[in-house]
Amino acid sequence: MDEIAKIIIGDQTYSYPVIEGTEREKAIDIRRLRSDTGYITYDDGFGNTGSCISDITFIDGETGILRYRGIPIEELAEHADFLSVAHLVIYGELPDRDGYYEWIKNIRQRAPLHTGLMKMFESYPPNAHPMAVLSSMLNSMGCYYPQMTSNNREHDLEHFEDAAALLISKVRTIAALTYRSEMGMPFVYPRTDLRYTENFLHMMFSQPYNRYEPTEAVVDALDLFLVLHADHEQNCSTSTVRMVASGGANLFASVSAGVGALWGPLHGGANTAVVRMLESIHERGDDGSRYIEAAKRGEERLMGFGHRVYKNYDPRAKILGNAVRRVLRELDQNDPLLNIAQRLEEAALSDDYFISRKLYPNVDFYSGLLLKAIGIPVEMFTVMFAIGRMPGWIANWKEVAAAEKGRIYRPRQIYNGPVKRTMLKS
Ligand code: CMC
C-alpha cells in the first residue's frame, strides 16, 4: 500500500501522499496543503524542503555518497576527465568515443570571445573582484547570442546544445582574461590543440615570448578539481539558477545569477576563506588549537568544515586531500599550510564540539590548497569553482526550462511586520 502522511490541525486530519526517489529518499507531497488547510510550512534555510524532483545528482549526506547521473564520484574522479563529466551531467550519459570528439571539438571552437566582449574588460577597475566580472560578463555574453536569449523557453531550448557548449568553453576564457586584465598583462588567445585545462592555464600564464607549459600533474590536478565541482544538487547557487530559470529567463542570465550566489563565503567563497584562515593561523604562530577554541566559542568559524547535507566526511574532501598531498609530492613542494590543515582536521575530528554537530571537512577544505599548489592565485579560487560548476547549472536550467508543467518558484512567508491598516492618523 502506498504510504500516506497525516497532518492533524485542530480536529481535522488531512492526508498527503509520500513520494519516493530512486534511492529511497522520501518526501511528503504537500502541494495541496494550503488549499486544503490555509496553512503553509515554515522551513528557514529550506533544510527540510525538496524544491524539485531531479534526475541529475544524488547525495546521501549521512553516509557521504555523491553520484552524478547515478555514477559514484570516486569512479568519475579516477576514470573520467572534466569534459566527459560535463557531458554526463548535462546530457545524462558519458559520451562514446565519437561523441566525445564531437563534444571536444564544439568546445574548442567556441573558446574565443567576440572583440566587443574583450573590450569590456577595460571598463572594470583593476581591483574588481573576478566573481563580479564573471557574473556580468556571462550575462553580457548573452547579448551576442540573441537567438539563445529570447526568454521564450521553446526557442531557447532549440539552441540549448549550442548555448551549453558556448558556456562551458567561454567561461574558462573569461576567467583567464579577467585575471590577465587585472594583472595588466596582454591577452593570450585560446589554442585549438590543447586540452580544456591546459588551454586555461595557457591563457592564464603564457607570455607572448614564453609559452607556459604545465606539467601533467598540474593539468590532471586541475581537471580533477573541476570534475569534483561539476554538480552538487540543490545548493545555494544551483537553486538560484533554477529560481531564475523558473521565471522563464534564459540560460545566460540564470548562470550569471548563479555566479553571484556562489561568491558568498558560506558557499563557493569558502575555498578562498579557508586559505586566508590557514595563512592567518600560520602568521600568528598558532598550530591551530587556538583557532579551534575560538571557533567553539563562536568567535571564529572553521572554514571548510560543516555542510548542510553532509553529516559525514564529504567524499570530495577525501579525494582532494589525497590529491593535494600527491601534487605537492610530484611538484616537490612543501606547503606549511597543509600541515596546519591536517592538524586542524585531526583536532576537529576528535573534539566533541565538532563530533556532536557532525562537522566534517567539506570540498573547500582542501580545494584551495590544491589550487594554490598548482599556481592559481587566491583571488581566482571561487572563479575556478564556477568553471567547475557550470555543467551542473546548465543541466539544472534545462531541467526547469524543459519541464512540461513547470511553475515559477515562488515561496511564501510569514509576515511579522507592523499592523497599521492605514497611513492616516486617527
Ligand atoms: N565552524 C564552527 N562551528 C560551525 C561550523 C564551522 N564551520 N559550521 C557549523 N557550525 C556550528 C554552528 O555554529 C551551529 O552550532 P550551534 O548548534 O551551537 O548553534 C551548528 O554547527 C549548526 O550549524 P548551522 O550554521 O546551523 O549549519 P548550516 O547547515 O546552516 O550551515 C554551512 C552549513 C556550510 C554554511 C556551515 O557549516 C559553515 O558556515 N561552514 C563554513 C563555511 C564553509 O565551509 N562553506 C562551504 C560549504 S561546502 C561547499 C559549498 O556548498 O559551497
Side-chain angles (χ1 to χ4, degrees):
M1 208 181 101
D2 291 340
E3 218 178 329
I4 293 285
K6 294 193 173 180
I7 296 179
I8 301 169
I9 303 175
D11 53 9
Q12 289 274 5
T13 300
Y14 304 89
S15 298
Y16 295 96
V18 169
I19 50 178
E20 193 172 317
T22 47
E23 298 275 357
R24 299 249 160 125
E25 72 278 26
K26 292 186 177 180
I28 304 167
D29 178 351
I30 54 150
R31 281 177 289 179
R32 281 190 357 255
L33 181 71
R34 189 168 178 278
S35 58
D36 287 354
T37 67
Y39 286 62
I40 60 168
T41 56
Y42 173 63
D43 185 19
D44 184 26
F46 311 125
N48 305 280
T49 298
S51 61
C52 61
I53 295 179
S54 176
D55 293 349
I56 305 167
T57 289
F58 171 72
I59 302 175
D60 180 342
E62 312 303 326
T63 52
I65 289 174
L66 167 62
R67 300 190 193 115
Y68 299 158
R69 302 282 188 180
I71 304 181
I73 191 67
E74 292 80 3
E75 274 189 47
L76 292 167
E78 198 167 338
H79 302 295
D81 70 358
F82 174 62
L83 289 186
S84 305
V85 168
H87 191 282
L88 171 73
V89 169
I90 297 171
Y91 296 109
E93 283 170 6
L94 285 165
D96 61 18
R97 209 182 149 81
D98 290 347
Y100 180 69
Y101 288 118
E102 191 57 29
W103 174 232
I104 285 186
K105 198 174 87 192
N106 279 342
I107 297 207
R108 282 188 178 163
Q109 283 170 349
R110 286 167 171 79
L113 298 184
H114 190 285
T115 48
L117 268 180
M118 306 269 280
K119 284 197 191 118
M120 283 184 65
F121 285 106
E122 290 165 20
S123 57
Y124 295 100
N127 57 355
H129 196 288
M131 287 295 274
V133 178
L134 182 63
S135 176
S136 58
M137 290 296 280
L138 288 172
N139 216 346
S140 304
M141 197 167 100
C143 305
Y144 289 85
Y145 304 97
Q147 72 281 22
M148 300 176 200
T149 51
S150 67
N151 288 358
N152 168 324
R153 278 188 177 152
E154 250 173 57
H155 198 214
D156 287 350
L157 281 167
E158 275 170 30
H159 298 278
F160 174 75
E161 289 191 13
D162 210 9
L166 262 168
L167 280 164
I168 297 279
S169 188
K170 291 191 201 294
V171 66
R172 168 195 55 169
T173 313
I174 293 172
L177 298 196
T178 302
Y179 171 67
R180 292 193 77 97
S181 156
E182 297 194 356
M183 298 303 290
M185 296 195 290
F187 291 158
V188 168
Y189 289 89
R191 292 175 32 165
T192 48
D193 59 329
L194 298 178
R195 283 171 62 189
Y196 186 82
T197 35
E198 231 180 330
N199 212 354
F200 171 72
L201 292 165
H202 160 69
M203 287 189 273
M204 283 279 286
F205 299 125
S206 282
Q207 299 295 352
Y209 46 85
N210 186 13
R211 192 186 144 198
Y212 174 80
E213 292 191 28
T215 62
E216 200 66 11
V218 164
V219 174
D220 289 347
L222 187 53
D223 199 81
L224 174 70
F225 169 92
L226 297 177
V227 165
L228 296 177
H229 285 76
D231 193 39
H232 211 233
E233 55 120 293
Q234 302 313 313
N235 55 81
C236 175
S237 57
T238 302
S239 298
T240 301
V241 169
R242 290 186 79 113
M243 173 75 83
V244 178
S246 79
N250 65 76
L251 178 59
F252 294 72
S254 303
V255 299
S256 160
V259 171
L262 185 72
W263 189 359
L266 298 187
H267 189 16
N271 57 14
T272 311
V274 169
V275 170
R276 299 281 187 228
M277 171 188 78
L278 296 173
E279 282 169 348
S280 89
I281 293 174
H282 183 54
E283 279 158 20
R284 280 184 266 155
D286 178 11
D287 67 350
S289 38
R290 274 188 276 148
Y291 196 93
I292 295 245
E293 289 311 312
K296 285 160 61 178
R297 290 194 299 272
E299 293 160 14
E300 299 282 5
R301 196 146 261 239
L302 188 51
M303 300 312 286
F305 256 72
H307 200 276
R308 172 61 61 76
V309 179
Y310 290 117
K311 300 303 167 199
N312 203 320
Y313 217 110
D314 178 338
R316 302 167 300 170
K318 245 183 222 159
I319 301 170
L320 281 167
N322 291 334
V324 178
R325 286 182 270 274
R326 192 172 58 243
V327 167
L328 287 175
R329 216 173 28 247
E330 282 172 15
L331 299 179
D332 205 16
Q333 285 181 18
N334 180 20
D335 187 348
L337 300 191
L338 177 62
N339 299 335
I340 295 177
Q342 283 170 337
R343 273 203 300 278
L344 281 179
E345 182 183 342
E346 278 157 25
L349 293 181
S350 57
D351 189 301
D352 192 51
Y353 174 93
F354 294 90
I355 296 169
S356 61
R357 289 170 180 75
K358 300 190 173 160
L359 300 172
Y360 291 87
N362 61 48
V363 69
D364 292 313
F365 194 63
Y366 285 111
S367 66
L369 289 180
L370 184 73
L371 292 175
K372 185 167 172 281
I374 60 183
I376 306 291
V378 180
E379 57 279 13
M380 290 294 290
F381 284 5
T382 313
V383 169
M384 303 311 296
F385 192 149
I387 299 175
R389 186 52 53 86
M390 190 55 75
W393 290 339
I394 292 172
N396 275 277
W397 179 88
K398 168 111 185 278
E399 225 172 46
V400 174
E404 261 175 41
K405 289 191 182 164
R407 299 181 77 199
I408 188 166
Y409 284 19
R410 202 314 185 176
R412 289 189 176 257
Q413 64 162 25
I414 299 293
Y415 175 69
N416 207 22
V419 181
K420 294 200 171 138
R421 305 288 184 234
T422 175
M423 60 183 274
L424 303 174
K425 291 200 172 117
S426 56

